[in-house]
Amino acid sequence: MGWRPGAFLRTHALWMAAALLGVSVRALAIEPGIADYKHMGVASCATSVCHGKLAPQSDRDVALNEYRIWQQEDRHAQAFRTLELAESKRIATNLRLPNATAAKICLDCHADNVPSDKRGPKFQISDGIGCEACHGGSEKWLESHAEEKATHKDNLARGMYPTEQPLKRAQVCLGCHLGTKDQFATHAIMGAGHPRLSFELEAYTTNQPAHFIVDADYDERKGKIAGMNLWVTGQLETTRRYLSLLQTNMFHAGNMFPELAFYDCHSCHHPMDKIRWNSARAGAGIKPGTVRLQTQNLIVLQALTDTFEPAATAQLVELTNALIRAGQRDRTSVNEAAKALLNWLGPRDALARRQYSSADVIKMRKNLARYAATDKAGDYAAAEQIVLGLESLSYTIGDRNSKKAALDALYNAVKNDTTFSPQQFATAAANAQKSF
Ligand code: HEC
Ligand code: HEC
Ligand code: HEC
Ligand code: HEC
């Protein structure tokens, strides 16, 4: 598969409703639909007559070697063990936690940390991010879904989580790869030594690595989902999650400083001898030397809007700039700016469902490359998001191999966030632009 982004990424009122419904408040940190039923544990899925086959099988709808792939290649299987490593011990010590493997704030994202009444007899927290963390508690479908006549619809009716739907998939991934109002990789966690989080739905789906095969039979059972729609859904939903979190106490609990992890990490963390001030930043109406809220997904959405609804781009740019300015003022301003953006986003969900021709996808990629070649991608996180997008779209178009040299040059320009140079990135992108 060549050089996938993960390789470099690694180097560097509800409460009331919950009470009324009798749902434990703890369960709210988890995506709705995931912890409705008991999690029976990976051991319930892993036997050799179930998903634990050594090699993919051809006589059933699914390959049945999913457990092997997960156990041998998927980082999620290691997520709990990561908490036992020296790196995690150091993070825990810095946060004055007695033990990362027992700390709720770590387990919420590094394991399937459902409440105790949602754990079946074979459930083990040490399994890390097991099957049911994404596929939902199997209490009601564990038996039935293995029957030959079981349809996907039957499984969903019994509580299987619809991971095949781009929006639902994005939501479950984002719960850990961006966060929720209850589980979030705060700047304190980062400052203690946690790696920066980044996410792009299409690339992370490919990178996971896939334990499912999308073929004609899959499309028939679950519906056909084009890579472009997956990518667009990821951009829209990541933006929505971020803007929604900005409206919670996770962003601002009334201290002198807001939660710094919502701001662009590199607006504070970069060497002082390279001046990065440019016209795009000045255009936002801020002074040099200000801390900016994260805008990487909004910038990608600007490129998307520019491609398919150009008349609306100016409005989105203005709303984005208003958010950046609000990020200098106070919580109320941020709240209002986030709300205005969420309102703008509402009708754009149609972009996630729209049918794209291959000419559309090529046009999108060209525009994204053009954004990369300008100072619109002057922040590291924006450059990274654009490079991930260019590769995802190349997979979708089906010409990723012939674009490898151009993509490698761009990956090289975002390889190291400390030495990242916006000017070098723009030059690399200008050179790569003709390839797209
Ligand atoms: C319960 C939390 C959780 C959920 C849900 C989750 N992840 Fe993860 N993911 C993690 C953690 C934690 C790691 C890092 C594990 C480690 O290395 O210890 C990770 C790692 C990854 C990696 C490897 C990243 C790298 O740098 O190599 C990919 C790719 C990934 N996840 C994709 C996904 C996708 C796609 C989804 C949704 C279908 C998803 N994840 C859902 C928590 C989660
Ligand atoms: C909001 C979810 C979240 C929380 C909270 C969280 N993590 Fe993570 N952690 C992740 C994800 C996602 C990754 C993988 C990042 C990637 O590669 O994209 C990760 C990666 C890591 C890594 C690097 C693993 C590797 O493969 O290189 C360590 C170490 C780690 N986490 C430890 C901890 C500890 C200790 C805590 C508790 C103090 C914690 N994490 C809390 C989501 C979280
Ligand atoms: C990090 C999230 C995540 C984890 C953990 C996970 N899966 Fe999946 N799984 C997915 C996604 C995403 C898909 C693709 C969408 C779909 O078909 O639902 C999928 C698809 C599948 C499929 C459907 C294949 C098909 O052709 O219909 C099976 C079977 C499956 N997973 C089994 C497992 C098993 C068994 C485990 C545990 C050993 C597991 N999964 C762990 C996210 C996950
Ligand atoms: C408003 C400025 C600001 C923003 C934005 C910011 N940080 Fe920080 N960060 C700091 C300060 C100040 C420290 C403390 C440095 C020290 O103790 O010397 C720090 C410390 C750290 C450290 C520990 C470094 C050390 O020297 O101990 C890490 C890692 C880190 N931040 C990561 C991040 C990540 C990841 C993000 C984005 C999600 C981020 N920071 C956003 C200001 C910021």
Side-chain angles (χ1 to χ4, degrees):
M1 175 126 297
W3 187 10
R4 289 297 284 161
F8 91 85
L9 289 174
R10 189 156 35 234
T11 60
H12 52 213
L14 256 173
W15 289 67
M16 275 303 289
L20 290 174
L21 293 167
V23 178
S24 101
V25 166
R26 168 62 196 83
L28 288 177
I30 300 167
E31 217 43 55
I34 291 290
D36 294 354
Y37 301 104
K38 271 196 185 135
H39 288 214
M40 307 308 283
V42 173
S44 309
C45 321
T47 65
S48 60
V49 290
C50 302
H51 296 285
K53 300 259 195 265
L54 288 172
Q57 308 290 300
S58 52
D59 55 334
R60 295 295 298 261
D61 286 343
V62 307
L64 293 177
N65 65 339
E66 295 84 6
Y67 168 71
R68 298 277 162 179
I69 296 177
W70 174 82
Q71 186 207 30
Q72 287 167 7
E73 300 168 35
D74 195 321
R75 294 296 312 162
H76 297 112
Q78 303 300 324
F80 178 86
R81 255 157 286 164
T82 291
L83 300 179
E84 294 170 338
L85 301 177
E87 280 168 276
S88 290
K89 291 209 171 93
R90 188 167 55 96
I91 297 174
T93 306
N94 290 345
L95 292 169
R96 300 177 188 228
L97 294 168
N99 186 348
T101 59
K104 177 176 150 35
I105 56 163
C106 307
L107 291 173
D108 279 351
C109 293
H110 283 261
D112 187 16
N113 198 21
V114 289
S116 50
D117 64 329
K118 290 290 190 297
R119 297 179 182 190
K122 291 186 182 162
F123 178 94
Q124 285 192 345
I125 194 80
S126 58
D127 284 336
I129 302 166
C131 320
E132 292 162 292
C134 293
H135 293 293
S138 67
E139 183 180 9
K140 304 279 186 218
W141 53 263
L142 183 60
E143 300 264 321
S144 66
H145 86 295
E147 287 163 18
E148 198 98 34
K149 61 178 185 349
T151 64
H152 189 52
K153 213 172 139 212
D154 299 334
N155 300 335
L156 296 180
R158 290 172 192 265
M160 187 183 276
Y161 187 86
T163 33
E164 78 283 1
Q165 293 175 23
L167 179 63
K168 288 296 190 177
R169 188 186 308 171
Q171 287 169 341
V172 75
C173 310
L174 285 169
C176 301
H177 285 273
L178 176 55
T180 70
K181 72 175 185 53
D182 305 301
Q183 75 191 35
F184 191 74
T186 59
H187 190 255
I189 296 180
M190 300 295 179
H194 197 280
R196 187 180 65 92
L197 299 188
S198 68
F199 184 71
E200 195 269 276
L201 182 61
E202 204 283 340
Y204 271 60
T205 292
T206 311
N207 248 13
Q208 194 187 338
H211 53 265
F212 56 94
I213 302 160
V214 179
D215 52 16
D217 159 75
Y218 179 97
D219 287 348
E220 200 178 301
R221 286 181 292 117
K222 296 186 161 171
K224 196 171 169 57
I225 293 139
M228 174 75 175
N229 295 80
L230 195 57
W231 179 72
V232 173
T233 307
Q235 293 301 328
L236 288 167
E237 198 52 25
T238 307
T239 309
R240 194 185 317 265
R241 176 70 59 102
Y242 173 77
L243 294 170
S244 307
L245 287 172
L246 278 179
Q247 298 180 310
T248 68
N249 283 351
M250 195 54 93
F251 171 59
H252 209 313
N255 304 323
M256 180 151 113
F257 290 110
E259 170 53 63
L260 297 183
F262 284 92
Y263 285 84
D264 182 78
C265 310
H266 303 95
S267 64
C268 293
H269 293 286
H270 70 76
M272 281 182 271
D273 57 352
K274 297 249 173 5
I275 305 305
R276 299 175 181 209
W277 182 250
N278 65 21
S279 61
R281 288 181 191 175
I286 53 170
K287 293 181 186 143
T290 40
V291 185
R292 296 173 310 281
L293 285 167
Q294 292 185 23
T295 52
Q296 62 272 24
N297 299 101
L298 285 162
I299 289 168
V300 172
L301 287 182
Q302 288 174 11
L304 181 72
T305 309
D306 231 359
T307 315
F308 300 109
E309 197 191 345
T313 312
Q315 201 187 9
L316 177 58
V317 169
E318 185 36 44
L319 290 170
T320 307
N321 289 339
L323 181 73
I324 294 173
R325 291 192 299 272
Q328 315 300 313
R329 287 200 294 273
D330 50 40
R331 188 178 174 169
T332 313
S333 311
V334 170
N335 211 26
E336 279 164 13
K339 210 178 284 166
L341 272 163
L342 283 167
N343 287 339
W344 187 91
L345 275 183
R348 270 75 196 187
D349 279 340
L351 287 167
R353 294 185 295 267
R354 176 184 159 139
Q355 269 209 328
Y356 293 97
S357 66
S358 32
D360 286 338
V361 187
I362 288 170
K363 199 169 148 204
M364 180 68 245
R365 186 172 65 179
K366 271 196 195 315
N367 239 350
L368 208 52
R370 185 171 63 80
Y371 265 57
T374 66
D375 53 15
K376 291 188 175 69
D379 288 325
Y380 178 79
E384 174 189 56
Q385 204 45 242
I386 289 177
V387 177
L388 290 171
L390 286 171
E391 184 169 47
S392 289
L393 296 177
S394 302
Y395 273 111
T396 299
I397 295 163
D399 63 359
R400 194 258 172 201
N401 286 346
S402 65
K403 307 297 174 203
K404 191 172 176 303
L407 288 165
D408 282 351
L410 287 169
Y411 271 122
N412 207 32
V414 293
K415 196 169 59 189
N416 183 325
D417 63 340
T418 306
T419 54
F420 172 76
S421 149
Q423 291 80 10
Q424 277 169 17
F425 178 73
T427 308
N431 290 333
Q433 217 178 341
K434 54 186 175 305
S435 311
F436 297 113

